[in-house]
Structure formats: structure tokens, C-alpha cells
């Protein structure tokens, strides 16, 4: 007897005689979509899906990735239209990567997140990426016959190990938009000859549900320090005894909000960083170690301040600094919470950084 994807469903249908439910299908007869990309379209919305490399049941191994696309007035209509484009049943229950094109982010991502929250076969557990300077459809074509699934999985795993950008699920982004009114999303960009590789491109910052702008370089690192990761970063410092390399292993930022009466007067941030010596010609000790620590603290503070400058201009407290500070003063926080984006854009911010250097 051949194995089916849902043997219990097949048995239930046989015993109950329910003809209204879908029948079980052979694994080889299904196209399991892993990545979904969404862009705006003259028709309404453009949806693109990719399976990654496929296997035909027990017989076929290493088939090329299947890419399907449809432009319709709505997401649900586009997904339904994709069903008729494959000789296999298109199954959306395995989608774990969501790509949003920059043009759609500029229009608003809320309809996409609403759809993912309501559709039982999708859900908000998918990793969310913002495609910078291109469409999601272009990004999905970057993987060619192999698809982009393995590349996205690599970035996700690297993030968990602290060696790549912070990743966000669609649910985390949705929650931040609802609770904070803003959110940050890791950005990717097609690169290389013909855009054949997806590379990290900082973070996109959403306000309401539309794109305010991007943080990259030092500002992106500053955002990561505000958010508490990723942990791994290497800083090089030239000392009299020779160059020294220091690897950051963890970071945590706490916030406090001062009030003058009922008016926020200052947002105070304290970033605690742990690091270890990774390379050196002469081990820094005493005065040299103090100089190293001071240089590292200055650099990390500048990164945080660069990120804050941009976030305050946009009025986007996307790492929840105000909400975190408000936990110690809930009554006063509730009084300013509704207007916090405006307060955040102009309240003075004081940043202190302390680094502990381990051997």
C-alpha cells in the first residue's frame, strides 16, 4: 500500500462517507511551496511561490524548483489561480518564508499579514524578509533551478548563531505593528551577475504598515544593539602594542524614561556588552586594556546613536524602548503611550555603553 500524506484523513473519509473534504494525495503528486513572494500589480497583487528542489515520490530526486506566479485582484484569488499552473496539487501548508517586495512595503504590508493570520494553511510563523530595490518575484528567481529556500534557511540559521542579521517572523512583525505602531524587518537584495544571489541589505523600518526607510552599515549594527543581538561582531582596534581584534558575544540594552511632571524629559539607555579577545600581537593589560575598552565603548555608542538619529526622525521606536521603560512606571507610561511616536521623535536620549572584556 502506498503511503499518503494524511492517511488518517483518508481513513476518516472512507468511514464517514464525507465527500465535502479534500481527498488525501500522494506526496509525489504534491507541489509543496516553501517560499511565497508578494508584490503590487496593476491587477491588484502579484504572488509568486517556489517549491525549492523537488522529489517525485520515491522515484524522482533532485528535480528543479517549481516557481508559480499569478496576478489577481486579491491574495486569495492569486493563490487559487496558482493551483491550475502545476501538474501537481499545490500545497501552501509548508510555506515558511515570506518575501515582500519594496514597492509593496511602500504601499503597506498590513493586507498581507492579515491574510497570513487568517489563512489556516499559511500562518504567521513564516520568516519575513523585505526585498530591497527589487520585487519579491525578482528575488525568487535569483535561485534559478535550485530556488532560494536553502539560501533563506542558511541566513535564518546563521542569525540564530549570531552571525547574520536578526530575523523576524511574520507574527513578530505583525505584533510589533499592532502594539508599537512600527517594526523592523531584515532586508535582502539580489546581487551578483544577473542578481543570482540574495545578500543581506540591512533592515527596513515600517511605520504603521508602510516603509519609512532602511538602516544599513553602522546604523544597522546600532539597531541590533538596541534589540539585543545578534551576538557576534568583530571590532579591530590599533593599540601601541599592535592591532587587537575583539569579538562581541552578547549585548543587552535597558531603557528608563524620566519625567518632568507628566512630560517625558529624557530617555536613558544602558547597553551592556560582553566581548572577548580573539587576536592580538601583545596582550593588552592595564592602561592598554582600559584604552581598548574605552575605544570599543565609543564605537558601539556611536552605532547606537546613528541608529537612534534615523529612528527618531521617522518616529519609529521599533525596538520597544519606550514600552520597556514604561514597565517601571506604568501609570505615567499609559498617559503618554498613545502619543509616544511623537514624544520619541523629540525626547533627549542619553546613551551609556559598558563593555566587559573576557579572556
Amino acid at each position: 500500500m502506498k503511503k499518503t500524506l494524511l492517511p488518517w484523513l483518508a481513513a476518516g473519509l472512507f468511514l464517514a462517507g464525507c465527500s465535502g473534504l479534500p481527498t488525501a494525495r500522494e506526496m509525489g503528486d504534491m507541489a509543496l511551496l516553501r517560499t511565497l513572494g508578494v508584490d503590487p500589480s496593476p491587477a491588484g497583487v502579484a504572488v509568486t511561490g517556489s517549491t525549492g528542489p523537488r522529489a517525485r515520490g520515491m522515484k524522482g530526486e533532485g528535480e528543479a524548483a517549481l516557481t508559480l506566479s499569478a496576478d489577481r485582484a486579491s491574495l486569495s484569488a492569486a493563490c487559487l489561480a496558482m493551483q491550475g499552473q502545476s501538474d501537481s496539487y499545490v500545497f501552501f501548508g509548508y510555506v515558511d518564508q515570506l518575501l515582500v517586495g519594496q514597492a509593496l512595503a511602500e504601499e503597506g504590508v498590513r493586507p498581507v499579514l492579515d491574510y497570513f493570520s487568517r489563512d489556516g494553511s499559511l500562518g504567521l510563523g513564516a520568516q519575513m524578509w523585505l526585498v530591497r530595490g527589487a520585487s519579491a518575484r525578482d528575488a525568487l528567481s535569483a535561485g534559478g533551478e535550485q530556488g532560494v529556500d536553502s539560501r533563506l534557511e542558511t541566513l535564518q540559521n546563521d542569525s540564530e548563531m549570531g552571525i547574520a542579521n536578526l530575523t523576524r517572523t511574520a507574527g513578530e512583525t505583525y505584533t510589533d505593528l499592532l502594539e508599537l505602531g512600527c517594526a523592523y524587518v531584515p532586508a535582502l537584495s539580489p546581487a551578483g551577475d544577473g542578481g543570482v544571489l540574495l545578500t543581506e541589505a540591512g533592515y527596513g523600518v515600517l511605520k504603521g504598515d508602510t516603509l519609512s526607510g532602511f538602516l544599513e552599515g553602522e546604523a544597522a549594527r546600532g539597531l541590533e544593539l538596541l534589540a539585543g543581538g545578534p551576538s557576534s561582531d568583530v571590532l579591530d582596534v590599533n593599540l601601541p602594542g599592535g592591532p587587537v581584534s575583539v569579538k562581541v558575544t552578547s549585548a543587552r540594552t535597558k531603557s528608563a524614561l524620566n519625567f518632568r511632571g507628566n512630560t517625558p524629559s529624557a530617555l536613558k539607555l544602558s547597553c551592556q556588552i560582553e566581548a572577548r579577545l580573539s587576536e592580538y600581537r601583545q596582550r593588552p593589560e592595564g592602561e592598554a586594556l582600559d584604552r581598548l575598552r574605552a575605544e570599543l565603548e565609543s564605537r558601539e555608542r556611536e552605532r547606537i546613536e546613528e541608529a537612534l538619529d534615523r529612528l527618531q526622525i521617522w518616529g519609529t521606536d521599533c525596538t520597544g524602548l519606550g514600552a520597556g521603560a514604561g514597565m517601571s512606571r506604568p501609570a505615567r507610561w499609559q498617559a503618554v503611550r498613545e502619543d509616544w511616536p511623537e514624544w520619541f521623535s523629540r525626547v533627549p536620549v542619553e546613551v551609556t555603553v559598558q563593555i566587559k572584556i573576557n579572556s
Side-chain angles (χ1 to χ4, degrees):
M1 180 180 294
K2 294 183 179 180
K3 295 181 180 180
T4 60
L5 178 65
L6 299 173
W8 58 269
L9 178 59
L13 291 174
F14 175 78
L15 294 174
C18 298
S19 59
L21 296 175
T23 58
R25 290 178 177 267
E26 303 290 340
M27 285 292 290
D29 292 335
M30 302 184 75
L32 308 179
L33 293 185
R34 294 290 310 281
T35 304
L36 206 66
V38 188
D39 299 293
S41 163
V45 64
V47 179
T48 310
S50 171
T51 63
R54 297 186 298 158
R56 278 281 188 182
M58 300 299 292
K59 298 180 180 180
E61 296 294 337
E63 284 194 20
L66 175 65
T67 300
L68 306 173
S69 62
D71 292 28
R72 293 293 188 274
S74 65
L75 264 166
S76 53
C79 290
L80 181 62
M82 290 164 63
Q83 292 283 2
Q85 297 178 8
S86 171
D87 56 357
S88 303
Y89 176 75
V90 180
F91 185 62
F92 290 84
Y94 279 73
V95 171
D96 57 4
Q97 306 287 346
L98 169 63
L99 300 181
V100 175
Q102 180 174 337
L104 181 67
E106 292 170 349
E107 292 184 2
V109 302
R110 182 68 178 267
V112 177
L113 297 176
D114 284 344
Y115 182 73
F116 267 67
S117 70
R118 290 193 297 263
D119 190 285
S121 64
L122 291 172
L124 294 169
Q127 297 294 320
M128 183 172 174
W129 311 86
L130 177 59
V131 183
R132 183 176 183 179
S135 68
R137 185 164 289 176
D138 290 338
L140 278 165
S141 66
E145 292 187 352
Q146 294 301 309
V148 297
D149 306 275
S150 61
R151 173 60 176 163
L152 297 177
E153 288 176 359
T154 297
L155 290 172
Q156 181 180 341
N157 292 335
D158 286 351
S159 174
E160 293 172 357
M161 294 188 291
I163 56 177
N165 280 5
L166 297 172
T167 55
R168 314 295 313 281
T169 65
E172 289 170 333
T173 304
Y174 199 30
T175 299
D176 282 354
L177 291 178
L178 293 174
E179 295 185 354
L180 304 177
C182 54
Y184 65 92
V185 183
L188 301 174
S189 181
D193 294 336
V196 296
L197 178 66
L198 291 179
T199 61
E200 294 176 302
Y203 298 91
V205 177
L206 304 172
K207 182 176 183 180
D209 70 336
T210 60
L211 180 66
S212 291
F214 292 94
L215 296 179
E216 57 186 348
E218 297 296 275
R221 283 296 189 182
L223 176 71
E224 293 166 356
L225 292 172
L226 291 173
S231 59
S232 293
D233 184 23
V234 176
L235 298 172
D236 299 314
V237 179
N238 288 319
L239 295 178
V244 177
S245 295
V246 178
K247 185 174 184 179
V248 175
T249 56
S250 68
R252 182 182 181 187
T253 298
K254 296 182 179 180
S255 56
L257 194 56
N258 288 358
F259 287 83
R260 185 177 293 111
N262 292 323
T263 301
S265 59
L267 178 64
K268 296 189 175 183
L269 306 180
S270 174
C271 182
Q272 307 292 324
I273 298 173
E274 290 198 10
R276 64 177 176 83
L277 299 173
S278 57
E279 292 182 61
Y280 51 85
R281 293 179 184 174
Q282 179 179 325
R283 184 183 182 86
E285 296 179 350
E287 185 177 339
L289 186 60
D290 292 339
R291 179 174 174 178
L292 173 63
R293 185 182 298 108
E295 174 66 22
L296 295 175
E297 289 174 350
S298 176
R299 286 195 194 179
E300 297 293 62
R301 183 170 56 253
E302 288 175 358
R303 286 174 163 179
I304 291 175
E305 290 172 347
E306 186 172 340
L308 284 170
D309 285 345
R310 301 286 295 281
L311 295 178
Q312 286 190 291
I313 289 172
W314 297 330
T316 52
D317 180 13
C318 57
T319 60
L321 300 173
M327 294 180 66
S328 62
R329 297 187 173 185
R332 287 187 171 179
W333 168 246
Q334 288 302 321
V336 301
R337 179 180 178 181
E338 185 175 347
D339 298 322
W340 176 243
E342 183 180 347
W343 283 114
F344 177 70
S345 66
R346 66 175 190 265
V347 68
V349 182
E350 302 173 14
V351 180
T352 59
V353 176
Q354 291 183 326
I355 294 184
K356 178 181 178 182
I357 302 177
N358 301 312
S359 300

